Amino acid sequence: MTQTQTQPRSQTQAQALPLRLHHHAWITDDQEANRRFYEDVIGLPLVATWTEREVMAGVERAYSHALYGLADGSALAFFQFADPEDQEEFRTGINTTPLRHIAFKVEADAQDALHERVVAAGSADANPHVIDHGFCVSLYVTDPNGLILEFVVDHPDVEKIDAEQRVTARADLARWLAGDHTTNNRWR
């Protein structure tokens, strides 16, 4: 075997990684309720609303596409169709698992303020809760569409933790796949 065949691709070939998330798209049934949650409670500014007509699956459809900005220029995007049948056809499937979520890196003071705003908004459906994962502390919130958002504060030693994980990631995965399911999270 050549050296190229035994090393991970990222070490053997110069590869252009994506620069950042551009947007993550979802369907909403109520653009205004969604705007109140994302802009007024979470604090993400509404940066664009596109109202369009486009042929999708052979049918012309009218929809709005609202984007809420993040600090790095990326966005969360939400579609709502004018026709209820189109809305149902393109509805984003909600899986009830908490493992299907979007995670955002935040500072501790921003996480605390966000938690306070969500609680003050009084939406029981938002279900805000905090979990200390050891390598990070996460605030989980559910949006009006059922989408789970995670706001993550990294451990103070995140650079050391990341460096260690990069060295052992492949071996840890191989160990787990081979049936050894012991934890390797010594920060928890």
Side-chain angles (χ1 to χ4, degrees):
M1 250 189 234
T2 67
Q3 186 176 14
T4 304
Q5 292 171 319
T6 60
Q7 291 185 0
R9 179 182 172 133
S10 60
Q11 294 177 4
T12 60
Q13 296 177 2
Q15 174 177 314
L17 296 174
L19 300 174
R20 63 173 170 77
L21 177 72
H22 187 276
H23 69 275
H24 181 276
W26 203 260
I27 299 291
T28 185
D29 287 334
D30 186 337
Q31 286 283 27
E32 179 53 23
N34 208 53
R35 188 212 55 78
R36 283 192 306 271
F37 179 80
Y38 278 98
E39 196 166 45
D40 299 347
V41 177
I42 299 298
L44 301 183
L46 177 63
V47 296
T49 301
W50 297 97
T51 57
E52 302 188 61
R53 297 187 76 78
E54 184 174 343
V55 174
M56 293 182 194
V59 177
E60 184 177 281
R61 304 167 196 266
Y63 62 90
S64 64
H65 183 201
L67 292 97
Y68 298 87
L70 300 171
D72 69 354
S74 63
L76 295 182
F78 293 90
F79 289 86
Q80 183 175 1
F81 289 86
D83 183 318
E85 289 181 18
D86 292 344
Q87 184 72 11
E88 192 58 36
E89 181 179 343
F90 289 97
R91 181 174 312 285
T92 306
I94 298 290
N95 188 338
T96 57
T97 176
L99 300 178
R100 185 175 182 188
H101 61 271
I102 301 174
F104 304 96
K105 180 179 177 174
V106 295
E107 298 296 333
D109 56 345
Q111 186 187 66
D112 292 341
L114 179 59
H115 191 232
E116 289 175 16
R117 288 195 309 273
V118 170
V119 169
S123 173
D125 296 336
N127 188 30
H129 60 284
V130 175
I131 298 177
D132 184 344
H133 297 288
F135 56 88
C136 69
V137 175
S138 298
L139 167 64
Y140 293 91
V141 176
T142 303
D143 85 353
N145 312 295
L147 177 60
I148 299 171
L149 309 174
E150 177 184 7
F151 297 91
V152 180
V153 176
D154 284 331
H155 187 281
D157 291 329
V158 67
E159 291 175 11
K160 177 183 173 191
I161 293 168
D162 285 352
E164 289 177 20
Q165 285 295 302
R166 286 179 190 278
V167 170
T168 65
R170 286 179 176 269
D172 290 339
L173 179 58
R175 176 187 56 79
W176 193 88
L177 291 171
D180 180 353
H181 299 159
T182 56
T183 184
N184 69 348
N185 184 353
R186 61 187 173 87
W187 297 276
R188 192 171 208 172

